[in-house]
Coordinates of all heavy atoms in Angstrom, one line a residue:
F1 N -1.1 10.2 -7.0 CA -1.8 9.2 -6.1 C -1.0 9.0 -4.8 O -1.6 9.0 -3.7 CB -1.9 7.9 -6.9 CG -2.8 6.9 -6.1 CD1 -4.1 6.9 -6.4 CD2 -2.3 6.0 -5.2 CE1 -4.9 5.9 -5.8 CE2 -3.1 5.1 -4.5 CZ -4.4 5.0 -4.8
L2 N 0.3 8.9 -4.9 CA 1.1 8.6 -3.7 C 1.0 9.7 -2.6 O 0.6 9.4 -1.5 CB 2.6 8.3 -4.0 CG 3.5 8.1 -2.8 CD1 3.1 6.9 -2.0 CD2 4.9 7.9 -3.3
P3 N 1.4 11.0 -3.0 CA 1.3 12.0 -1.9 C -0.2 12.3 -1.5 O -0.4 12.6 -0.3 CB 1.9 13.3 -2.6 CG 1.8 13.0 -4.0 CD 2.0 11.5 -4.2
A4 N -1.2 12.1 -2.4 CA -2.5 12.2 -2.0 C -2.9 11.2 -1.0 O -3.7 11.5 0.0 CB -3.4 12.2 -3.2
M5 N -2.5 10.0 -1.1 CA -2.8 8.9 -0.2 C -2.1 9.1 1.1 O -2.7 8.9 2.2 CB -2.4 7.5 -0.8 CG -2.7 6.4 0.2 SD -4.5 6.2 0.6 CE -5.0 5.2 -0.8
V6 N -0.9 9.6 1.1 CA -0.1 9.8 2.3 C -0.9 11.0 3.1 O -1.1 10.9 4.3 CB 1.3 10.3 2.0 CG1 2.0 10.8 3.3 CG2 2.1 9.1 1.6
K7 N -1.3 12.0 2.4 CA -2.0 13.1 3.0 C -3.4 12.7 3.6 O -3.8 13.1 4.6 CB -2.2 14.3 2.1 CG -2.8 15.5 2.8 CD -2.9 16.7 1.8 CE -3.5 17.9 2.5 NZ -3.6 19.1 1.6
Y8 N -4.1 11.9 2.8 CA -5.4 11.3 3.2 C -5.2 10.6 4.5 O -6.0 10.7 5.4 CB -5.9 10.5 2.1 CG -7.3 9.9 2.4 CD1 -8.4 10.6 2.1 CD2 -7.4 8.7 3.0 CE1 -9.7 10.1 2.4 CE2 -8.7 8.1 3.3 CZ -9.8 8.9 3.0 OH -11.1 8.4 3.3
I9 N -4.2 9.8 4.6 CA -4.0 9.0 5.8 C -3.7 9.9 7.0 O -4.2 9.7 8.0 CB -2.8 7.9 5.6 CG1 -3.3 6.9 4.6 CG2 -2.4 7.3 6.9 CD1 -2.1 6.0 4.1
D10 N -2.8 10.8 6.8 CA -2.4 11.7 7.9 C -3.6 12.6 8.4 O -3.7 12.9 9.6 CB -1.3 12.7 7.4 CG 0.1 12.0 7.2 OD1 0.2 10.8 7.8 OD2 1.0 12.5 6.6
E11 N -4.5 12.9 7.5 CA -5.6 13.7 7.8 C -6.8 12.9 8.5 O -7.6 13.5 9.3 CB -6.2 14.4 6.6 CG -5.3 15.6 6.0 CD -5.9 16.2 4.8 OE1 -6.8 15.6 4.2 OE2 -5.5 17.3 4.5
N12 N -6.8 11.6 8.2 CA -8.0 10.8 8.6 C -7.6 9.9 9.7 O -8.6 9.3 10.4 CB -8.6 10.1 7.4 CG -9.4 11.0 6.5 OD1 -10.5 11.3 6.7 ND2 -8.7 11.5 5.5
M13 N -6.4 9.6 10.1 CA -6.0 8.7 11.1 C -5.8 9.4 12.4 O -5.2 10.5 12.4 CB -4.8 7.9 10.8 CG -4.9 7.1 9.5 SD -6.2 5.8 9.6 CE -6.8 5.9 7.9
R14 N -6.2 8.9 13.5 CA -6.0 9.4 14.8 C -4.5 9.2 15.2 O -3.9 8.4 14.7 CB -6.9 8.8 15.9 CG -8.4 9.0 15.7 CD -9.2 8.2 16.6 NE -10.6 8.4 16.4 CZ -11.5 7.6 17.0 NH1 -11.2 6.6 17.8 NH2 -12.8 7.8 16.8
K15 N -4.1 10.0 16.2 CA -2.7 9.8 16.7 C -2.6 8.3 17.3 O -3.5 7.9 18.0 CB -2.4 10.7 17.9 CG -1.0 10.7 18.3 CD -0.6 11.7 19.3 CE 0.9 11.6 19.7 NZ 1.3 12.7 20.7
G16 N -1.6 7.6 16.9 CA -1.4 6.2 17.2 C -1.9 5.3 16.2 O -1.7 4.1 16.2
E17 N -2.5 5.9 15.2 CA -3.0 5.1 14.0 C -2.3 5.3 12.7 O -2.3 4.5 11.8 CB -4.5 5.3 13.7 CG -5.5 4.9 14.8 CD -6.9 5.1 14.4 OE1 -7.2 5.9 13.5 OE2 -7.8 4.5 15.0
E18 N -1.5 6.4 12.7 CA -0.9 6.9 11.4 C 0.0 5.8 10.8 O -0.2 5.5 9.6 CB 0.0 8.1 11.6 CG -0.7 9.2 12.3 CD -0.2 9.5 13.7 OE1 -0.1 8.4 14.4 OE2 0.1 10.6 14.1
I19 N 0.9 5.2 11.6 CA 1.8 4.2 11.0 C 1.1 3.0 10.6 O 1.4 2.4 9.5 CB 2.9 3.8 12.1 CG1 3.8 5.0 12.4 CG2 3.8 2.7 11.4 CD1 4.5 5.6 11.2
K20 N 0.0 2.6 11.2 CA -0.9 1.5 10.8 C -1.5 1.8 9.5 O -1.7 0.9 8.6 CB -1.9 1.1 11.9 CG -1.3 0.4 13.1 CD -2.4 0.0 14.1 CE -1.9 -0.6 15.3 NZ -1.2 0.3 16.2
G21 N -2.0 3.1 9.3 CA -2.6 3.5 8.1 C -1.6 3.4 6.9 O -1.9 2.8 5.9
H22 N -0.4 3.9 7.2 CA 0.7 3.8 6.1 C 1.1 2.3 5.9 O 1.4 1.9 4.8 CB 1.9 4.6 6.6 CG 1.7 6.1 6.5 ND1 1.5 6.8 5.3 CD2 1.6 7.0 7.5 CE1 1.3 8.0 5.6 NE2 1.4 8.2 6.9
M23 N 1.1 1.5 7.0 CA 1.4 0.1 6.9 C 0.3 -0.6 6.0 O 0.8 -1.4 5.1 CB 1.4 -0.5 8.2 CG 1.7 -2.0 8.3 SD 0.1 -3.0 8.0 CE -0.9 -2.4 9.4
L24 N -0.9 -0.3 6.2 CA -1.9 -1.0 5.4 C -1.8 -0.6 3.9 O -1.8 -1.5 3.0 CB -3.4 -0.6 5.8 CG -4.5 -1.2 5.0 CD1 -4.5 -2.7 5.0 CD2 -5.8 -0.6 5.6
F25 N -1.5 0.6 3.6 CA -1.3 1.1 2.3 C 0.0 0.4 1.7 O -0.2 -0.2 0.6 CB -1.1 2.6 2.3 CG -0.7 3.2 0.9 CD1 -1.3 2.9 -0.2 CD2 0.4 4.1 0.9 CE1 -0.9 3.5 -1.5 CE2 0.8 4.6 -0.3 CZ 0.2 4.3 -1.5
T26 N 1.1 0.4 2.4 CA 2.2 -0.3 1.9 C 2.1 -1.7 1.8 O 2.7 -2.4 0.9 CB 3.5 0.1 2.8 OG1 3.5 1.5 2.9 CG2 4.7 -0.3 2.2
T27 N 1.4 -2.3 2.7 CA 1.1 -3.8 2.7 C 0.4 -4.2 1.3 O 0.8 -5.2 0.7 CB 0.3 -4.3 3.9 OG1 1.0 -4.1 5.0 CG2 -0.1 -5.7 3.7
M28 N -0.5 -3.3 0.9 CA -1.2 -3.6 -0.3 C -0.3 -3.4 -1.5 O -0.4 -4.2 -2.5 CB -2.4 -2.7 -0.4 CG -3.6 -3.1 0.5 SD -4.1 -4.9 0.3 CE -5.4 -5.0 1.4
T29 N 0.5 -2.4 -1.5 CA 1.5 -2.2 -2.6 C 2.5 -3.3 -2.6 O 2.9 -3.7 -3.7 CB 2.2 -0.8 -2.4 OG1 3.0 -0.8 -1.3 CG2 1.2 0.3 -2.4
T30 N 2.9 -3.8 -1.4 CA 3.8 -4.9 -1.4 C 3.2 -6.2 -1.8 O 3.8 -7.0 -2.6 CB 4.3 -5.1 0.1 OG1 4.8 -3.9 0.5 CG2 5.4 -6.2 0.1
T31 N 1.9 -6.4 -1.5 CA 1.2 -7.6 -1.9 C 1.0 -7.5 -3.5 O 1.1 -8.6 -4.2 CB -0.2 -7.6 -1.3 OG1 -0.1 -7.6 0.1 CG2 -1.0 -8.9 -1.8
A32 N 0.9 -6.4 -4.0 CA 0.8 -6.2 -5.5 C 2.1 -6.7 -6.1 O 2.2 -7.3 -7.2 CB 0.6 -4.7 -5.9
G33 N 3.3 -6.4 -5.4 CA 4.6 -6.9 -5.8 C 4.6 -8.4 -5.8 O 5.2 -9.0 -6.7
V34 N 4.0 -9.1 -4.8 CA 3.9 -10.5 -4.7 C 3.2 -11.1 -6.0 O 3.6 -12.0 -6.7 CB 3.2 -11.0 -3.4 CG1 3.1 -12.5 -3.5 CG2 4.0 -10.6 -2.2
V35 N 2.0 -10.5 -6.2 CA 1.2 -11.0 -7.3 C 1.9 -10.8 -8.6 O 1.9 -11.7 -9.5 CB -0.2 -10.2 -7.3 CG1 -1.0 -10.5 -8.6 CG2 -1.0 -10.5 -6.1
T36 N 2.5 -9.6 -8.8 CA 3.2 -9.3 -10.1 C 4.4 -10.2 -10.2 O 4.6 -10.7 -11.4 CB 3.7 -7.8 -10.0 OG1 2.5 -7.0 -9.8 CG2 4.3 -7.4 -11.3
S37 N 5.1 -10.4 -9.2 CA 6.4 -11.2 -9.3 C 6.0 -12.6 -9.7 O 6.7 -13.2 -10.7 CB 7.1 -11.2 -8.0 OG 7.4 -9.9 -7.6
L38 N 5.1 -13.3 -9.1 CA 4.7 -14.7 -9.5 C 4.1 -14.7 -10.8 O 4.5 -15.5 -11.6 CB 3.8 -15.2 -8.4 CG 4.4 -15.5 -7.0 CD1 3.3 -15.9 -6.0 CD2 5.5 -16.5 -7.0
M39 N 3.1 -13.9 -11.1 CA 2.4 -13.9 -12.3 C 3.4 -13.5 -13.4 O 3.4 -14.1 -14.5 CB 1.3 -12.8 -12.2 CG 0.5 -12.5 -13.5 SD -0.7 -11.2 -13.3 CE 0.4 -9.7 -13.2
G40 N 4.2 -12.4 -13.2 CA 5.1 -11.9 -14.2 C 6.1 -12.9 -14.6 O 6.4 -13.1 -15.9
G41 N 6.7 -13.5 -13.7 CA 7.8 -14.5 -14.0 C 7.3 -15.6 -14.9 O 7.9 -15.9 -15.9
F42 N 6.1 -16.2 -14.5 CA 5.7 -17.3 -15.3 C 5.1 -16.9 -16.7 O 5.3 -17.6 -17.6 CB 4.6 -18.0 -14.5 CG 5.2 -18.8 -13.3 CD1 5.0 -18.4 -12.0 CD2 5.9 -20.0 -13.6 CE1 5.6 -19.2 -11.0 CE2 6.5 -20.7 -12.5 CZ 6.3 -20.3 -11.2
I43 N 4.4 -15.7 -16.7 CA 3.9 -15.2 -18.0 C 5.0 -14.9 -19.0 O 4.9 -15.3 -20.1 CB 3.0 -14.0 -17.8 CG1 1.7 -14.4 -17.1 CG2 2.7 -13.3 -19.2 CD1 0.7 -13.2 -16.8
L44 N 6.1 -14.3 -18.5 CA 7.2 -14.0 -19.3 C 7.9 -15.3 -19.9 O 8.4 -15.3 -21.0 CB 8.3 -13.1 -18.6 CG 7.9 -11.7 -18.3 CD1 8.8 -11.0 -17.3 CD2 7.9 -10.9 -19.7
D45 N 8.0 -16.3 -19.0 CA 8.6 -17.6 -19.5 C 7.8 -18.3 -20.5 O 8.3 -18.9 -21.4 CB 8.9 -18.5 -18.3 CG 10.2 -18.1 -17.6 OD1 11.1 -17.4 -18.2 OD2 10.4 -18.6 -16.5
I46 N 6.5 -18.2 -20.3 CA 5.5 -19.0 -21.2 C 5.0 -18.1 -22.4 O 5.0 -18.6 -23.5 CB 4.3 -19.5 -20.4 CG1 4.8 -20.4 -19.3 CG2 3.3 -20.2 -21.3 CD1 3.7 -20.8 -18.3

């Protein structure tokens, strides 16, 4: 999934958009970390 997404972004983004494409992908993976951290900590305690 990871290299396929990186290649997909590189092939489909225009010059000047590549980092934004990678940023959106990483922002979502980071947001997943937020959800997991909050959810996981409380679920594990309870």
